[in-house]
């Protein structure tokens, strides 16, 4: 622990003496990624999919794309290769910069030259190995290798939620993460070895494995954790001081509290970025010191050239002015709107059995804008309200809805959350909702066993009622969306996306997207096309406020009461200090939703 503390003090001292260089190093990467690289690759992906007449990539059409669209597959693989090279180049730029800053003969030109030279260490065969390496170091993407590109690669939260429902799956997931972490940290020195000793990828991985043998990796891991905890404490204290300071300033008369709040929020954002760069710098110095002996460097840097400094400061000024303007609107409350509230599967805080009438009736008392529910086609081509493709979990009957008639299904009793209720037909559920003037968000579940006329039958029976009741429809199956829009263009049909892969496009009237990969860029582009975006399934207050901060149009949740409270807190009249506190809460902890 003493060794970790000494390293922390030493590298913090180096950061203090060279803070401008580190700010340019990390800040330039962030700016290039956020405003050039990420938008460009999203545009390329969208263009490739449009050229192949593929609206979206999901698990449902993946096999079809692989079998019927070889040019699209080749294009996406080429794009992936280019992305890997760019991520690799950013690693090299970052590591070379960390090594060069502090040298007596430091120069930015040499950083760019050496970064370009390291690109020669890659070849076509090493790209697959490089992809595997990046997947291994993803757990360290936000802590050590701070690049927005790598941090955006993540497992959607709904998959993790599914894996944590079974004790064996939880055990397997925990073991997988532990194994990934251990292997990742054993290979952590691979990129530094490539940058500093110009080793090729495979020899560098082998050398990293040797250098972290005999639990040497544990010492490195201990120092990383120590620095992370210590800098996190500093960050929390900084945020708390800003909040408490504004709390006192709110007592001032007139417009002064507003002006100070705008300044304090902007200062908090700038300070937070500097603290993050400080953290990243210190941790990287800890990691690479065994290879570079940075502890012996002379701290006498050459300042950036005037042209480079002016260019960076101009870009930084433009971003700062845009941020200051956005903060002004935020503090004045002019861009804060109440999202549509949607009860997931018709329950709220586990108040009944999902997709049943008694649960919907209790939930309706909390006044959600919509109750989301699920439909399956039955053996006799009717419609039953049910989410699961197999009935065993809720009813104990090991059958699918297609194996039973509607009459047989509605005789079954479902059990969940300590409650029991009869399985409902859609006619029964719709009538109960209409009686309470409760609007529905209807998810149409599709399976290979659906009848060819399923959607036409659905529209013939319920289309007019759905329009009259101002209900909406969404589906995970894009063919359901397109077919239903052709059958009845007046229906409002949204496409459910489990992963944010490209820009919004296609025939859908809007989108329901899994929250962990949803970002402000997608929401903004959907709004340009006048398409709403709903986030699902959001069950934590902090994430609810993240989605509101990013102007999501609706929130699908299992905890409707908590959502109502979060909305009241976020959109209601409140002190400027509490607006700052809400911003602190919504500072993203993942690569998904971003302010």
């Amino acid at each position: 622990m003493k060794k970790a503390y000494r390293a922390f003090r030493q590298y913090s001292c180096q950061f203090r003496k060279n803070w401008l260089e580190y700010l340019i190093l990390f800040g330039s990467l962030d700016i290039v990624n956020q405003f050039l690289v990420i938008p460009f690759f999203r545009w390329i992906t969208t263009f490739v999919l449009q050229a192949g007449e593929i609206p979206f990539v999901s698990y449902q059409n993946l096999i079809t794309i692989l079998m019927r669209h070889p040019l699209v597959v080749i294009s996406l693989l080429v794009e992936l290769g280019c992305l890997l090279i760019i991520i690799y180049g950013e690693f090299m730029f970052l590591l070379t910069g960390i090594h060069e800053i502090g040298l007596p003969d430091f120069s930015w030109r040499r950083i760019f030259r050496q970064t370009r030279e390291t690109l020669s260490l890659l070849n076509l065969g090493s790209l697959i190995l490089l992809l595997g390496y990046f997947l291994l170091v993803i757990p360290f993407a936000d802590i050590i290798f701070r690049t927005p590109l790598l941090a955006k690669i993540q497992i959607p939260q709904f998959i993790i939620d599914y894996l944590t429902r079974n004790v064996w799956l939880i055990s397997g997931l925990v073991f997988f993460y532990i194994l990934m972490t251990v292997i990742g940290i054993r290979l952590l020195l691979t990129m530094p070895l490539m940058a500093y000793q110009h080793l090729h990828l495979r020899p560098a991985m082998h050398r990293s494995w040797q250098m972290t043998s005999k639990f040497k990796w544990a010492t490195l891991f201990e120092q990383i954790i120590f620095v992370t905890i210590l800098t996190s404490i500093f960050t929390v204290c900084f945020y708390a001081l800003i909040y408490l300071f504004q709390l006192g300033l709110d007592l001032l008369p007139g417009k002064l509290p507003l002006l100070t709040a705008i300044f304090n929020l902007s200062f908090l954002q700038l300070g937070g970025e500097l603290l993050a760069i400080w953290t990243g710098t210190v941790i990287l110095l800890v990691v690479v010191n065994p290879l570079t002996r940075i502890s012996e460097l002379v701290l006498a840097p050459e300042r950036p050239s005037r042209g480079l400094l002016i260019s960076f400061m101009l870009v930084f000024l433009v971003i700062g002015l845009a941020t200051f303007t956005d903060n002004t609107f935020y503090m004045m409350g002019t861009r804060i709107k109440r999202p549509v509230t949607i009860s997931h599967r018709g329950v709220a805080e586990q108040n009944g059995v999902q997709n049943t009438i008694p649960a919907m009736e209790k939930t309706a008392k909390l006044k959600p804008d919509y109750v989301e529910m699920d439909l399956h086609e039955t053996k006799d081509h009717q419609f039953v309200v049910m989410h699961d493709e197999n009935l065993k979990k809720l009813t104990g009957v090991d059958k699918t809805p297609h194996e039973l008639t509607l009459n047989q299904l509605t005789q079954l009793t479902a059990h969940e959350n300590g409650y029991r209720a009869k399985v409902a037909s859609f006619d029964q559920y719709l009538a109960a909702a209409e009686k309470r003037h409760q609007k529905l968000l209807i998810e149409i579940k599709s399976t290979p066993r659906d009848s060819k006329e399923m959607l036409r039958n659905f529209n013939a029976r319920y289309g007019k009622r759905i329009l009259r009741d101002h209900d909406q429809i969404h589906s995970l199956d894009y063919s359901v969306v397109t077919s239903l829009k052709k059958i009845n263009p007046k229906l409002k049909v949204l496409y459910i996306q489990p992963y944010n892969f490209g820009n919004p496009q296609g025939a859908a009237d809007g989108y329901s997207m899994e929250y962990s990969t949803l970002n402000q860029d997608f929401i903004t582009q959907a709004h340009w096309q006048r398409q709403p975006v709903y986030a699902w399934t959001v069950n934590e207050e902090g994430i609810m406020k993240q989605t509101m901060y990013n102007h999501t149009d609706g929130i699908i949740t299992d905890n409707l009461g908590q959502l109502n409270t979060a909305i009241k807190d976020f959109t209601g009249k409140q002190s400027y200090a509490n607006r700052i506190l809400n911003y602190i809460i919504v500072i993203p902890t993942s690569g998904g939703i971003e302010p």
Side-chain angles (χ1 to χ4, degrees), residues 162-176:
Y162 173 78
L163 293 174
T164 54
R165 292 174 189 168
N166 180 285
V167 64
W168 292 107
L169 290 177
I170 293 174
S171 302
L173 186 64
V174 170
F175 176 77
F176 172 76

Side-chain angles (χ1 to χ4, degrees), residues 10-11 14 94-101 103 114 189 191-193 195-197 211 284-298:
Q10 179 182 348
Y11 299 140
Q14 177 158 340
L94 197 61
L95 290 166
T96 303
I98 286 291
H99 176 249
E100 292 293 319
I101 293 173
L103 288 174
Q114 291 184 3
L189 299 178
M191 286 294 170
L193 284 163
Y196 305 146
Q197 298 183 13
M211 293 181 67
L284 266 179
L285 290 173
V286 168
V287 171
V288 305
N289 183 57
L291 301 174
T292 62
R293 302 184 67 82
I294 285 177
S295 58
E296 299 177 3
L297 293 179
V298 179

Side-chain angles (χ1 to χ4, degrees), residues 17-50:
K17 293 181 179 180
N18 303 276
W19 66 272
L20 182 59
E21 287 75 17
Y22 291 120
L23 176 62
I24 294 176
L25 180 69
F26 284 89
S28 60
L29 280 179
D30 281 348
I31 291 170
V32 168
N33 281 325
Q34 295 292 356
F35 295 100
L36 292 177
V37 177
I38 293 173
F40 176 75
F41 275 96
R42 288 180 65 87
W43 179 82
I44 287 292
T45 302
T46 304
F47 175 80
V48 169
L49 295 178
Q50 285 178 336

Side-chain angles (χ1 to χ4, degrees), residues 316-454:
F316 190 80
L317 181 62
V318 171
I319 296 173
L321 288 174
T323 301
F324 193 84
T325 303
D326 190 62
N327 290 343
T328 302
F329 286 122
Y330 172 66
M331 282 299 171
M332 295 174 67
T334 55
R335 289 187 180 176
I336 298 175
K337 67 174 184 177
R338 179 187 179 277
V340 170
T341 58
I342 306 166
S343 168
H344 187 225
R345 302 186 193 177
V347 296
E349 280 78 20
Q350 299 183 340
N351 63 351
V353 183
Q354 60 175 282
N355 283 309
T356 62
I357 293 173
M360 184 269 292
E361 290 175 334
K362 285 191 283 187
T363 300
K365 294 178 182 178
L366 296 174
K367 302 187 183 303
D369 293 296
Y370 292 91
V371 162
E372 193 262 358
M373 38 80 67
D374 307 277
L375 291 186
H376 273 284
E377 189 183 39
T378 66
K379 183 178 181 180
D380 51 348
H381 308 311
Q382 305 296 316
F383 294 92
V384 65
V385 183
M386 179 64 60
H387 175 273
D388 296 347
E389 200 166 328
N390 190 289
L391 303 164
K392 187 173 183 180
K393 181 181 177 182
L394 290 178
T395 69
V397 177
D398 191 12
K399 298 281 186 180
T400 67
H402 284 93
E403 295 178 289
L404 301 174
T405 65
L406 182 64
N407 183 58
Q408 291 172 319
L409 286 161
T410 53
Q411 299 303 312
L412 299 176
T413 300
H415 305 262
E416 189 180 41
N417 300 324
Y419 296 91
R420 52 187 292 159
K422 287 289 185 181
V423 173
S425 69
F426 185 48
D427 289 276
Q428 293 170 333
Y429 200 96
L430 184 58
E434 289 174 335
K435 184 178 178 180
R436 287 155 185 81
H437 306 287
Q438 176 61 62
K439 290 187 289 186
L440 300 177
L441 177 59
I442 304 158
E443 180 177 348
I444 297 179
K445 296 286 188 180
S446 64
T447 72
R449 300 181 63 182
D450 293 335
S451 65
K452 293 182 179 179
E453 297 299 313
M454 180 186 77

